Amino acid sequence: MRLLGAVLAGGESRRFGSDKALALLDGKPLIEHAIAALATQTEAVIVVGREGGIPDRPGPGLGPLGGINAAIHEAAARGFDAVLTCGCDVPALPRGLAELLAGGGYVAEMPVIGLWPATLGDHLDRWLADDNDRSVRGWANAAGLRRMMLGAPVANLNTPDDLAAFTRGPAG
């Protein structure tokens, strides 16, 4: 199976207070950590929703679904079977995540992390065109995708405090 990786980076970073994609972790922007995490499990990686990447589809303001939709369509256009997504604030992913989500599914605790078959673009276009629930979970459930629980939590650095705690590690 050919997998495209996509970092969803179109959010407003309201909880972070500044562009969290550019916040530094170990001397590198968070977005670079997310790209590297996806690169270990996919053939290529794109950035969605920010300058230099591909735009949300059909446009901005739809939350993560706009980014996922753009990524699904990009995967289909480039001949990939599916796209594995994560947010720009996810510095690491579990090993074997793509295999765990094979066939299509999302992480229950963090639904922006998901494996979306490239055949779902038209379904998501229709979903977004109608007055449907804009949550990733709502669409994924309507599309019949599996909700997966992970054994260990995935770091999601939404605030400067989250970043500081992650940097300190469990010992504090």
Side-chain angles (χ1 to χ4, degrees), residues 130-169:
D130 291 339
D131 190 24
N132 289 306
D133 178 1
R134 293 291 189 248
S135 74
V136 175
R137 284 182 185 97
W139 170 71
N141 292 337
L145 298 170
R146 294 175 298 127
R147 178 178 163 260
M148 302 296 295
M149 299 292 291
L150 298 181
V154 176
N156 183 15
L157 309 180
N158 280 311
T159 68
D161 288 343
D162 293 342
L163 177 60
F166 184 80
T167 302
R168 283 192 307 270

XYZ file of all heavy atoms in Angstrom, residues 130-169:
299
model
N -22.720 19.713 2.610
C -23.977 19.688 3.353
C -23.771 20.292 4.737
O -22.655 20.551 5.159
C -24.489 18.248 3.481
C -24.953 17.666 2.161
O -25.262 18.450 1.245
O -24.976 16.427 2.034
N -24.842 20.480 5.457
C -24.766 21.054 6.797
C -24.597 19.934 7.824
O -25.483 19.673 8.627
C -26.034 21.869 7.076
C -25.923 22.681 8.350
O -24.784 22.987 8.761
O -26.971 23.004 8.924
N -23.432 19.273 7.770
C -23.147 18.143 8.655
C -22.217 18.556 9.784
O -21.607 19.620 9.750
C -22.491 17.009 7.860
C -23.465 16.330 6.934
O -24.524 15.881 7.353
N -23.128 16.260 5.661
N -22.098 17.677 10.740
C -21.158 17.803 11.844
C -19.751 18.018 11.268
O -19.320 17.290 10.394
C -21.230 16.497 12.651
C -20.282 16.437 13.823
O -19.539 17.399 14.075
O -20.284 15.396 14.504
N -19.042 19.028 11.725
C -17.702 19.334 11.209
C -16.601 18.631 11.997
O -15.426 18.866 11.773
C -17.441 20.841 11.226
C -18.303 21.612 10.250
C -17.905 21.310 8.812
N -18.559 22.191 7.876
C -19.475 21.795 7.007
N -19.837 20.538 6.961
N -20.013 22.653 6.180
N -16.965 17.767 12.935
C -15.935 17.057 13.686
C -15.368 15.909 12.852
O -16.069 15.310 12.035
C -16.498 16.510 15.000
O -17.320 15.383 14.758
N -14.108 15.627 13.072
C -13.473 14.494 12.386
C -14.192 13.207 12.772
O -14.488 12.377 11.919
C -11.968 14.420 12.722
C -11.338 13.170 12.111
C -11.248 15.665 12.229
N -14.498 13.059 14.043
C -15.190 11.846 14.502
C -16.540 11.669 13.796
O -16.891 10.577 13.377
C -15.431 11.896 16.008
C -14.233 11.626 16.846
C -14.599 11.655 18.350
N -13.431 11.504 19.168
C -12.762 12.520 19.708
N -13.176 13.761 19.536
N -11.704 12.304 20.452
N -17.298 12.765 13.681
C -18.608 12.686 13.041
C -18.520 12.203 11.616
O -19.259 11.300 11.205
N -17.603 12.790 10.838
C -17.449 12.352 9.450
C -16.899 10.937 9.375
O -17.397 10.108 8.605
C -16.553 13.295 8.646
C -16.238 12.688 7.322
C -17.117 12.520 6.280
C -15.022 12.087 6.913
N -16.488 11.857 5.239
C -15.203 11.582 5.613
C -13.779 11.926 7.537
C -14.187 10.942 4.917
C -12.769 11.291 6.839
C -12.987 10.797 5.540
N -15.864 10.638 10.166
C -15.243 9.312 10.109
C -16.256 8.220 10.440
O -16.287 7.170 9.789
C -14.043 9.247 11.047
N -17.106 8.472 11.418
C -18.131 7.488 11.765
C -19.132 7.328 10.628
O -19.541 6.214 10.304
C -18.824 7.880 13.067
C -17.899 7.771 14.256
O -16.905 7.049 14.253
N -18.203 8.524 15.298
N -19.519 8.439 10.002
C -20.449 8.374 8.863
C -19.826 7.630 7.684
O -20.534 6.978 6.914
C -20.870 9.778 8.439
N -18.507 7.716 7.551
C -17.800 7.040 6.457
C -17.521 5.573 6.783
O -17.003 4.840 5.945
C -16.489 7.761 6.151
N -17.861 5.142 7.988
C -17.670 3.744 8.373
C -16.238 3.386 8.745
O -15.857 2.214 8.677
N -15.468 4.372 9.170
C -14.076 4.111 9.544
C -13.971 3.671 11.000
O -14.787 4.057 11.841
C -13.229 5.358 9.301
C -13.187 5.785 7.833
C -12.536 7.143 7.688
C -12.466 4.748 7.005
N -12.952 2.876 11.273
C -12.767 2.318 12.613
C -12.169 3.346 13.572
O -11.318 4.128 13.201
C -11.815 1.114 12.562
C -12.384 -0.053 11.811
C -11.383 -1.194 11.670
N -10.217 -0.744 10.906
C -8.953 -0.860 11.331
N -8.688 -1.418 12.477
N -7.958 -0.430 10.583
N -12.618 3.285 14.791
C -12.096 4.101 15.894
C -11.169 3.204 16.688
O -11.592 2.180 17.214
C -13.274 4.566 16.741
C -12.928 5.370 17.922
C -14.244 5.799 18.614
N -13.972 6.226 19.948
C -14.147 5.488 21.041
N -14.637 4.270 20.957
N -13.865 5.981 22.217
N -9.881 3.565 16.763
C -8.886 2.724 17.407
C -8.380 3.363 18.697
O -8.128 4.561 18.736
C -7.690 2.511 16.464
C -8.047 1.892 15.129
S -8.704 0.229 15.245
C -7.307 -0.641 15.888
N -8.216 2.542 19.709
C -7.618 2.987 20.963
C -6.148 2.578 20.929
O -5.828 1.458 20.547
C -8.304 2.322 22.157
C -9.786 2.635 22.289
S -10.132 4.342 22.711
C -9.536 4.407 24.368
N -5.286 3.491 21.330
C -3.864 3.169 21.427
C -3.548 2.774 22.859
O -4.204 3.235 23.793
C -3.014 4.370 21.019
C -3.168 4.859 19.578
C -2.247 6.045 19.334
C -2.868 3.740 18.600
N -2.548 1.954 23.021
C -2.154 1.525 24.359
C -1.512 2.631 25.167
O -1.626 2.673 26.386
N -0.825 3.552 24.499
C -0.128 4.638 25.188
C -0.566 5.967 24.585
O -0.893 6.037 23.398
C 1.373 4.460 25.031
N -0.573 7.020 25.387
C -0.980 8.326 24.851
C 0.029 8.873 23.840
O 1.213 8.582 23.901
C -1.057 9.216 26.087
C -0.211 8.545 27.117
C -0.232 7.080 26.796
N -0.476 9.681 22.922
C 0.354 10.382 21.947
C 0.435 11.833 22.402
O -0.585 12.438 22.735
C -0.266 10.294 20.532
C 0.540 11.108 19.537
C -0.383 8.847 20.084
N 1.640 12.381 22.415
C 1.812 13.778 22.838
C 1.130 14.716 21.848
O 1.300 14.593 20.639
C 3.292 14.116 22.936
N 0.342 15.641 22.395
C -0.351 16.663 21.611
C -0.062 17.981 22.316
O -0.581 18.238 23.394
C -1.844 16.353 21.589
C -2.622 17.312 20.736
O -2.076 18.047 19.947
N -3.934 17.298 20.910
N 0.798 18.804 21.719
C 1.316 19.988 22.390
C 0.512 21.223 22.007
O 0.920 22.019 21.176
C 2.806 20.145 22.059
C 3.637 18.873 22.298
C 5.084 19.121 21.959
C 3.471 18.346 23.706
N -0.645 21.380 22.646
C -1.580 22.463 22.326
C -1.255 23.789 22.978
O -1.750 24.823 22.540
C -2.995 22.069 22.735
C -3.647 21.169 21.730
O -3.624 21.451 20.542
N -4.215 20.083 22.196
N -0.492 23.774 24.058
C -0.196 24.995 24.803
C 1.293 25.061 25.122
O 1.984 24.032 25.100
C -0.980 25.032 26.135
O -0.457 24.005 26.994
C -2.480 24.840 25.937
N 1.794 26.245 25.460
C 3.193 26.324 25.901
C 3.464 25.426 27.117
O 4.551 24.862 27.238
C 3.374 27.809 26.237
C 2.395 28.504 25.342
C 1.204 27.580 25.304
N 2.479 25.293 28.011
C 2.665 24.408 29.171
C 2.813 22.950 28.735
O 3.605 22.204 29.313
C 1.496 24.545 30.152
C 1.513 25.877 30.902
O 2.567 26.551 30.926
O 0.455 26.241 31.457
N 2.036 22.530 27.719
C 2.177 21.167 27.187
C 3.589 20.953 26.657
O 4.210 19.909 26.904
C 1.196 20.905 26.036
C -0.259 20.885 26.458
O -0.553 20.725 27.663
O -1.121 21.044 25.558
N 4.093 21.934 25.922
C 5.441 21.844 25.364
C 6.482 21.783 26.478
O 7.393 20.945 26.441
C 5.713 23.033 24.437
C 7.115 23.115 23.825
C 7.434 21.885 22.985
C 7.234 24.386 22.985
N 6.341 22.628 27.489
C 7.291 22.624 28.605
C 7.269 21.293 29.345
O 8.321 20.744 29.677
C 6.977 23.777 29.561
N 6.088 20.746 29.587
C 5.978 19.459 30.282
C 6.588 18.339 29.447
O 7.267 17.462 29.974
C 4.512 19.159 30.603
N 6.355 18.368 28.137
C 6.918 17.349 27.257
C 8.437 17.445 27.236
O 9.125 16.430 27.272
C 6.357 17.516 25.832
C 6.809 16.452 24.882
C 6.198 15.195 24.874
C 7.842 16.685 23.992
C 6.609 14.211 24.006
C 8.264 15.705 23.106
C 7.643 14.465 23.107
N 8.961 18.671 27.229
C 10.401 18.886 27.210
C 11.041 18.378 28.498
O 12.101 17.776 28.470
C 10.723 20.386 27.009
O 10.104 20.807 25.779
C 12.199 20.649 26.942
N 10.361 18.608 29.628
C 10.883 18.145 30.928
C 10.848 16.635 31.036
O 11.660 16.033 31.704
C 10.082 18.753 32.071
C 10.410 20.180 32.384
C 9.798 20.620 33.696
N 8.375 20.367 33.779
C 7.424 21.224 33.388
N 7.764 22.373 32.848
N 6.156 20.923 33.524
N 9.843 16.011 30.409
C 9.703 14.559 30.495
C 8.974 14.158 31.768
O 8.616 14.996 32.595
